[in-house]
Amino acid sequence: MSKTIRIEKRILEKNDVVAARLRQRFADIVVVNIMSSPGAGKTTLLEETVKRLSGKTTIGVIEGDIATDYDAQRVESAGAGWVVQINTGGVCHLDAGMVEQALDSMPEKLGLLVIENVGNLVCPSGFDLGDDYKVVLASVTEGLDKPKKYPGMYRKSHAMVLNKIDLSPHVNVSPAAFVKEALDVNPALTVFQTSATAGTGLDEWCGWLSALKKPANA
Amino acid sequence: MSKTIRIEKRILEKNDVVAARLRQRFADIVVVNIMSSPGAGKTTLLEETVKRLSGKTTIGVIEGDIATDYDAQRVESAGAGWVVQINTGGVCHLDAGMVEQALDSMPEKLGLLVIENVGNLVCPSGFDLGDDYKVVLASVTEGLDKPKKYPGMYRKSHAMVLNKIDLSPHVNVSPAAFVKEALDVNPALTVFQTSATAGTGLDEWCGWLSALKKPANA
């Protein structure tokens, strides 16, 4: 499979050139890249986040999906200051070039830019989008084995939001045990436990998010 | 993005050559490729399937994962006649070359070969593995919007197993509405509604699976 690996290396190098350009453009905006399996609850979390924070700061959102603009509509209705939908066609992740193309209409002043990646626990973590913080959103319904089965995603992330904890009794997955599995893979993860639909844990998550600073090396 | 598309085309053409070779090798075995999001319940469904069918036929299983051999262990314990684990490293799907490499120890006589793909709703559907039938496993916990957000997966599949229907009241997703969304994308889908953990719908699924014939054009 050496040929495949060489192609991937070339694609990633090209991505990094664009990501460096994005990082210059994002010099004054904290950028958070949220990644998860399909249906873990990224958009619902984002709707609730926007509702809570939009009085305090202007939140921009870039929505990544294979198809449809369902998510952009939802986040816009929740009150996001600026929303763009990227449809990747068949591509299973966002790359820096797609993000760059989406920025034409970006307003000068944004307090926070959140990029909701394509639902996929594998490839999105490999592409630098000029982001400052990567967040993996997990759901208790996925089962305890996921951090160790998808270690790259957990290793690359700064924080894990463990969502749908209200379903924990129904799926026989303990949030504490899931957190332990995730910390086994990446002990540096900042952890939040939420139910985005029930409102649990959202104050802690929103508090962390709104306190984020531009990293020193950005 | 024309460059990316050209690279993808070359990879897919190379894959198709190997898949054609696999199809010759699988001349007397029905091969089913099961795909889903991470944590939709592929392995649990497969464990229950093997338990129910292993007295009647010899089931071989190829397990695809980024990392770990958790799934191979589970399916072997359930009674599969032959199990191989493929670890793709960082690759988000199985390809025909990986499957070919896994066949060295395959016994002469298998009644059914099931390939459990990497958990991912995007790329796995694009790679022919020499399979006869593709099955997408969905879970009500993923939300109603998934068939239209991941249309390629639903279009390429012969059947959909909608799993975790016991959780339907807790996630406010009606199985009937999910089936409608899926049939909107692909009206030809054969549909099963299951709870693999509760045992619901497994007789119908196992009945269909064990009655599958080699397609006429194989």
Side-chain angles (χ1 to χ4, degrees), chain A residues 7 10-11 14, chain B residues 1-10:
Chain A
I7 292 169
R10 212 160 65 223
I11 291 172
K14 195 182 154 196
Chain B
M1 307 213 294
S2 60
K3 191 178 174 187
T4 309
I5 289 163
R6 277 202 304 276
I7 291 171
E8 279 177 5
K9 197 174 163 214
R10 213 162 63 223

PDB file of all heavy atoms in Angstrom, chain A residues 7 10-11 14, chain B residues 1-10:
ATOM      1  N   ILE A   7       0.436   9.034  -2.069  1.00  0.00           N
ATOM      2  CA  ILE A   7      -0.608   9.955  -2.527  1.00  0.00           C
ATOM      3  C   ILE A   7      -1.170  10.735  -1.343  1.00  0.00           C
ATOM      4  O   ILE A   7      -1.308  11.941  -1.387  1.00  0.00           O
ATOM      5  CB  ILE A   7      -1.739   9.188  -3.254  1.00  0.00           C
ATOM      6  CG1 ILE A   7      -1.214   8.623  -4.567  1.00  0.00           C
ATOM      7  CG2 ILE A   7      -2.937  10.103  -3.515  1.00  0.00           C
ATOM      8  CD1 ILE A   7      -2.160   7.646  -5.231  1.00  0.00           C
ATOM      9  N   ARG A  10       1.155  13.487  -0.203  1.00  0.00           N
ATOM     10  CA  ARG A  10       1.150  14.649  -1.076  1.00  0.00           C
ATOM     11  C   ARG A  10      -0.100  15.511  -0.819  1.00  0.00           C
ATOM     12  O   ARG A  10      -0.034  16.731  -0.758  1.00  0.00           O
ATOM     13  CB  ARG A  10       1.176  14.185  -2.534  1.00  0.00           C
ATOM     14  CG  ARG A  10       1.901  15.127  -3.453  1.00  0.00           C
ATOM     15  CD  ARG A  10       2.314  14.416  -4.733  1.00  0.00           C
ATOM     16  NE  ARG A  10       1.182  13.998  -5.511  1.00  0.00           N
ATOM     17  CZ  ARG A  10       1.057  12.808  -6.117  1.00  0.00           C
ATOM     18  NH1 ARG A  10       2.011  11.907  -6.001  1.00  0.00           N
ATOM     19  NH2 ARG A  10      -0.006  12.514  -6.820  1.00  0.00           N
ATOM     20  N   ILE A  11      -1.238  14.845  -0.672  1.00  0.00           N
ATOM     21  CA  ILE A  11      -2.480  15.578  -0.399  1.00  0.00           C
ATOM     22  C   ILE A  11      -2.369  16.336   0.923  1.00  0.00           C
ATOM     23  O   ILE A  11      -2.756  17.493   1.025  1.00  0.00           O
ATOM     24  CB  ILE A  11      -3.692  14.604  -0.373  1.00  0.00           C
ATOM     25  CG1 ILE A  11      -3.959  14.065  -1.783  1.00  0.00           C
ATOM     26  CG2 ILE A  11      -4.930  15.286   0.185  1.00  0.00           C
ATOM     27  CD1 ILE A  11      -4.994  12.957  -1.840  1.00  0.00           C
ATOM     28  N   LYS A  14      -0.084  19.422   0.654  1.00  0.00           N
ATOM     29  CA  LYS A  14      -0.773  20.516  -0.031  1.00  0.00           C
ATOM     30  C   LYS A  14      -1.788  21.160   0.921  1.00  0.00           C
ATOM     31  O   LYS A  14      -1.941  22.377   0.963  1.00  0.00           O
ATOM     32  CB  LYS A  14      -1.495  19.939  -1.262  1.00  0.00           C
ATOM     33  CG  LYS A  14      -1.938  20.978  -2.249  1.00  0.00           C
ATOM     34  CD  LYS A  14      -2.687  20.344  -3.411  1.00  0.00           C
ATOM     35  CE  LYS A  14      -3.647  21.337  -4.030  1.00  0.00           C
ATOM     36  NZ  LYS A  14      -4.636  20.706  -4.894  1.00  0.00           N
TER      37      LYS A  14
ATOM     38  N   MET B   1     -10.796  20.909  -7.629  1.00  0.00           N
ATOM     39  CA  MET B   1     -10.546  19.601  -7.014  1.00  0.00           C
ATOM     40  C   MET B   1     -10.429  18.504  -8.073  1.00  0.00           C
ATOM     41  O   MET B   1     -10.551  17.335  -7.755  1.00  0.00           O
ATOM     42  CB  MET B   1     -11.667  19.259  -6.043  1.00  0.00           C
ATOM     43  CG  MET B   1     -11.905  20.370  -5.003  1.00  0.00           C
ATOM     44  SD  MET B   1     -12.436  19.702  -3.434  1.00  0.00           S
ATOM     45  CE  MET B   1     -14.032  19.043  -3.909  1.00  0.00           C
ATOM     46  N   SER B   2     -10.172  18.897  -9.333  1.00  0.00           N
ATOM     47  CA  SER B   2     -10.101  17.882 -10.385  1.00  0.00           C
ATOM     48  C   SER B   2      -8.958  16.912 -10.145  1.00  0.00           C
ATOM     49  O   SER B   2      -9.044  15.738 -10.458  1.00  0.00           O
ATOM     50  CB  SER B   2      -9.935  18.561 -11.742  1.00  0.00           C
ATOM     51  OG  SER B   2      -8.748  19.318 -11.745  1.00  0.00           O
ATOM     52  N   LYS B   3      -7.866  17.399  -9.536  1.00  0.00           N
ATOM     53  CA  LYS B   3      -6.718  16.533  -9.282  1.00  0.00           C
ATOM     54  C   LYS B   3      -7.095  15.393  -8.319  1.00  0.00           C
ATOM     55  O   LYS B   3      -6.789  14.235  -8.553  1.00  0.00           O
ATOM     56  CB  LYS B   3      -5.569  17.356  -8.695  1.00  0.00           C
ATOM     57  CG  LYS B   3      -4.262  16.589  -8.665  1.00  0.00           C
ATOM     58  CD  LYS B   3      -3.143  17.441  -8.129  1.00  0.00           C
ATOM     59  CE  LYS B   3      -1.876  16.639  -7.955  1.00  0.00           C
ATOM     60  NZ  LYS B   3      -0.844  17.425  -7.274  1.00  0.00           N
ATOM     61  N   THR B   4      -7.796  15.781  -7.249  1.00  0.00           N
ATOM     62  CA  THR B   4      -8.230  14.781  -6.278  1.00  0.00           C
ATOM     63  C   THR B   4      -9.103  13.738  -6.963  1.00  0.00           C
ATOM     64  O   THR B   4      -8.952  12.539  -6.742  1.00  0.00           O
ATOM     65  CB  THR B   4      -9.037  15.458  -5.142  1.00  0.00           C
ATOM     66  OG1 THR B   4      -8.273  16.542  -4.660  1.00  0.00           O
ATOM     67  CG2 THR B   4      -9.345  14.481  -4.043  1.00  0.00           C
ATOM     68  N   ILE B   5      -9.995  14.208  -7.809  1.00  0.00           N
ATOM     69  CA  ILE B   5     -10.921  13.299  -8.468  1.00  0.00           C
ATOM     70  C   ILE B   5     -10.161  12.325  -9.362  1.00  0.00           C
ATOM     71  O   ILE B   5     -10.457  11.148  -9.397  1.00  0.00           O
ATOM     72  CB  ILE B   5     -11.976  14.116  -9.269  1.00  0.00           C
ATOM     73  CG1 ILE B   5     -12.912  14.805  -8.274  1.00  0.00           C
ATOM     74  CG2 ILE B   5     -12.775  13.206 -10.205  1.00  0.00           C
ATOM     75  CD1 ILE B   5     -13.720  15.931  -8.873  1.00  0.00           C
ATOM     76  N   ARG B   6      -9.133  12.823 -10.050  1.00  0.00           N
ATOM     77  CA  ARG B   6      -8.349  11.924 -10.904  1.00  0.00           C
ATOM     78  C   ARG B   6      -7.643  10.843 -10.081  1.00  0.00           C
ATOM     79  O   ARG B   6      -7.611   9.698 -10.456  1.00  0.00           O
ATOM     80  CB  ARG B   6      -7.315  12.719 -11.713  1.00  0.00           C
ATOM     81  CG  ARG B   6      -7.898  13.331 -12.992  1.00  0.00           C
ATOM     82  CD  ARG B   6      -6.809  13.621 -14.019  1.00  0.00           C
ATOM     83  NE  ARG B   6      -5.779  14.479 -13.482  1.00  0.00           N
ATOM     84  CZ  ARG B   6      -5.853  15.817 -13.444  1.00  0.00           C
ATOM     85  NH1 ARG B   6      -6.918  16.437 -13.894  1.00  0.00           N
ATOM     86  NH2 ARG B   6      -4.865  16.530 -12.960  1.00  0.00           N
ATOM     87  N   ILE B   7      -7.072  11.255  -8.951  1.00  0.00           N
ATOM     88  CA  ILE B   7      -6.398  10.275  -8.091  1.00  0.00           C
ATOM     89  C   ILE B   7      -7.399   9.220  -7.623  1.00  0.00           C
ATOM     90  O   ILE B   7      -7.141   8.027  -7.666  1.00  0.00           O
ATOM     91  CB  ILE B   7      -5.755  10.983  -6.869  1.00  0.00           C
ATOM     92  CG1 ILE B   7      -4.580  11.840  -7.329  1.00  0.00           C
ATOM     93  CG2 ILE B   7      -5.289   9.961  -5.830  1.00  0.00           C
ATOM     94  CD1 ILE B   7      -4.017  12.752  -6.251  1.00  0.00           C
ATOM     95  N   GLU B   8      -8.589   9.710  -7.201  1.00  0.00           N
ATOM     96  CA  GLU B   8      -9.604   8.772  -6.724  1.00  0.00           C
ATOM     97  C   GLU B   8      -9.997   7.786  -7.817  1.00  0.00           C
ATOM     98  O   GLU B   8     -10.178   6.610  -7.577  1.00  0.00           O
ATOM     99  CB  GLU B   8     -10.846   9.522  -6.254  1.00  0.00           C
ATOM    100  CG  GLU B   8     -10.680  10.069  -4.866  1.00  0.00           C
ATOM    101  CD  GLU B   8     -11.881  10.867  -4.412  1.00  0.00           C
ATOM    102  OE1 GLU B   8     -12.879  10.924  -5.131  1.00  0.00           O
ATOM    103  OE2 GLU B   8     -11.795  11.452  -3.325  1.00  0.00           O
ATOM    104  N   LYS B   9     -10.115   8.294  -9.054  1.00  0.00           N
ATOM    105  CA  LYS B   9     -10.528   7.444 -10.158  1.00  0.00           C
ATOM    106  C   LYS B   9      -9.499   6.333 -10.372  1.00  0.00           C
ATOM    107  O   LYS B   9      -9.846   5.184 -10.583  1.00  0.00           O
ATOM    108  CB  LYS B   9     -10.685   8.309 -11.426  1.00  0.00           C
ATOM    109  CG  LYS B   9     -11.489   7.629 -12.495  1.00  0.00           C
ATOM    110  CD  LYS B   9     -11.744   8.552 -13.680  1.00  0.00           C
ATOM    111  CE  LYS B   9     -12.179   7.714 -14.862  1.00  0.00           C
ATOM    112  NZ  LYS B   9     -11.723   8.246 -16.131  1.00  0.00           N
ATOM    113  N   ARG B  10      -8.214   6.705 -10.292  1.00  0.00           N
ATOM    114  CA  ARG B  10      -7.159   5.717 -10.493  1.00  0.00           C
ATOM    115  C   ARG B  10      -7.203   4.653  -9.391  1.00  0.00           C
ATOM    116  O   ARG B  10      -7.058   3.469  -9.650  1.00  0.00           O
ATOM    117  CB  ARG B  10      -5.805   6.433 -10.496  1.00  0.00           C
ATOM    118  CG  ARG B  10      -4.795   5.804 -11.414  1.00  0.00           C
ATOM    119  CD  ARG B  10      -3.660   6.757 -11.733  1.00  0.00           C
ATOM    120  NE  ARG B  10      -2.903   7.115 -10.559  1.00  0.00           N
ATOM    121  CZ  ARG B  10      -2.483   8.356 -10.265  1.00  0.00           C
ATOM    122  NH1 ARG B  10      -2.770   9.347 -11.066  1.00  0.00           N
ATOM    123  NH2 ARG B  10      -1.789   8.611  -9.180  1.00  0.00           N
TER     124      ARG B  10
END
